[in-house]
């Protein structure tokens, strides 16, 4: 429950900032005169997430559409590969905000993540399930901390390694031998949410979760 309310507050903060950013950077009317359609409440993800856009050898940019359908012109474009903040989904389209404040819709097939090992929840609820890998390279499922293991206030730490160019694995459990959920680079900042048996439970800037030893963070 604490995680849900924290995520909800973050979403409200982001949404409150969107109009100011968007108004400064581009029009909400497409090049065909169609006004931007904002999602309905039930279309929003419980926890918005950062996601990379797909890039092919032939297409270098992606149009931002005013509605979750084709044929209404566009509100500009995103240079690929790009990183955007995904807020909602409707009829196979994602509603997102770019780093410089543009917002609109695009077909969800342009968003690059492992769909077979990803969990997404819309419309609220008590589960905290943003975009993240749910199974490690060894097939182990990600374990979340118990409620009493979460810190009252999450803090930010920096990854440290023995070699400057090294990184650390995001492990699915607070113990070794269960594969990994990806890596975090040396000197990258991560959010530390909980602790168990000498391991921190981490949340990365791109929305991933996992565990690693307390000795690897400063």
């Amino acid at each position: 429950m604490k995680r849900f309310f924290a995520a909800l507050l973050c979403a409200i903060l982001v949404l409150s900032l969107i109009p100011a950013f968007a108004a400064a950077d581009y029009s909400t009317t497409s090049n065909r005169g169609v006004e931007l359609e904002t999602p309905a409440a039930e279309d929003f993800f419980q926890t918005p997430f950062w996601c990379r856009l797909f890039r092919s050898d032939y297409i270098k940019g992606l149009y931002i559409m005013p509605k979750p359908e084709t044929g209404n012109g566009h509100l500009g474009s995103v240079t690929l590969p790009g990183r955007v903040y995904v807020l909602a989904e409707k009829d196979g389209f994602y509603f997102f905000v770019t780093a410089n404040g543009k917002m609109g819709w695009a077909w969800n097939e342009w968003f690059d993540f492992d769909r077979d090992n990803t969990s997404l929840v819309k419309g609220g609820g008590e589960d905290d399930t943003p975009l993240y890998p749910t199974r490690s390279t060894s097939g182990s499922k990600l374990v979340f901390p118990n409620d009493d293991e979460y810190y009252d206030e999450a803090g930010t730490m920096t990854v440290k390694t023995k070699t400057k160019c090294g990184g650390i694995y995001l492990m699915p459990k607070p113990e070794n031998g269960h594969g990994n959920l990806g890596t975090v680079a040396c000197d990258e900042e991560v959010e530390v949410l909980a602790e168990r048996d000498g391991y921190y439970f981490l949340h990365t800037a791109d929305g991933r979760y996992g565990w690693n030893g307390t000795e690897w963070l400063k």
Side-chain angles (χ1 to χ4, degrees):
M1 181 65 75
K2 290 187 295 183
R3 287 175 280 152
F4 167 67
F5 283 116
L8 180 62
L9 287 174
C10 290
I12 292 172
L13 177 60
V14 170
L15 290 172
S16 68
L17 294 174
I18 288 172
F21 286 130
D25 290 318
Y26 81 117
S27 171
T28 56
T29 304
S30 78
N31 61 342
R32 292 191 176 179
V34 178
E35 284 293 319
L36 174 66
E37 177 182 310
T38 55
E42 63 270 18
D43 295 328
F44 279 91
F45 288 112
Q46 177 188 317
T47 306
F49 55 88
W50 286 100
C51 192
R52 291 191 180 277
L53 295 169
F54 173 75
R55 179 174 183 173
S56 73
D57 292 334
Y58 305 101
I59 299 176
K60 307 303 180 184
L62 179 67
Y63 284 127
I64 304 171
M65 295 181 287
K67 292 186 174 184
E69 58 188 52
T70 59
N72 295 290
H74 63 83
L75 299 162
S77 62
V78 183
T79 302
L80 302 183
R83 193 162 172 266
V84 298
Y85 200 52
V86 181
L87 299 171
E89 182 182 20
K90 181 179 180 181
D91 299 333
F93 289 78
Y94 281 153
F95 181 75
F96 62 94
V97 181
T98 67
N100 63 352
K102 296 180 181 180
M103 62 180 172
W105 301 84
W107 188 34
N108 63 14
E109 289 298 321
W110 287 104
F111 294 74
D112 187 19
F113 59 89
D114 184 355
R115 296 171 189 274
D116 293 332
N117 290 311
T118 295
S119 178
L120 291 173
V121 167
K122 291 196 300 183
E126 295 187 2
D127 294 329
D128 185 10
T129 50
L131 179 74
Y132 63 88
T134 58
R135 291 195 179 272
S136 74
T137 52
S138 297
S140 295
K141 190 170 179 62
L142 174 63
V143 172
F144 279 90
N146 298 319
D147 286 344
D148 59 358
E149 294 172 332
Y150 280 90
Y151 294 122
D152 291 334
E153 294 185 8
T156 301
M157 289 190 176
T158 304
V159 174
K160 65 178 181 179
T161 61
K162 295 179 181 179
T163 58
K164 182 65 177 177
C165 60
I168 63 171
Y169 287 122
L170 284 173
M171 298 187 293
K173 299 181 179 182
E175 54 190 64
N176 295 323
H178 298 279
N180 68 79
L181 300 161
T183 59
V184 185
C186 180
D187 293 332
E188 182 175 340
E189 287 192 348
V190 292
E191 190 177 20
V192 179
L193 302 178
E195 184 178 359
R196 181 196 296 179
D197 300 332
Y199 289 81
Y200 283 140
F201 185 64
L202 311 174
H203 182 212
T204 67
D206 59 359
R208 295 174 294 149
Y209 290 89
W211 300 83
N212 211 310
T214 56
E215 71 272 14
W216 294 105
L217 294 120
K218 59 183 177 181

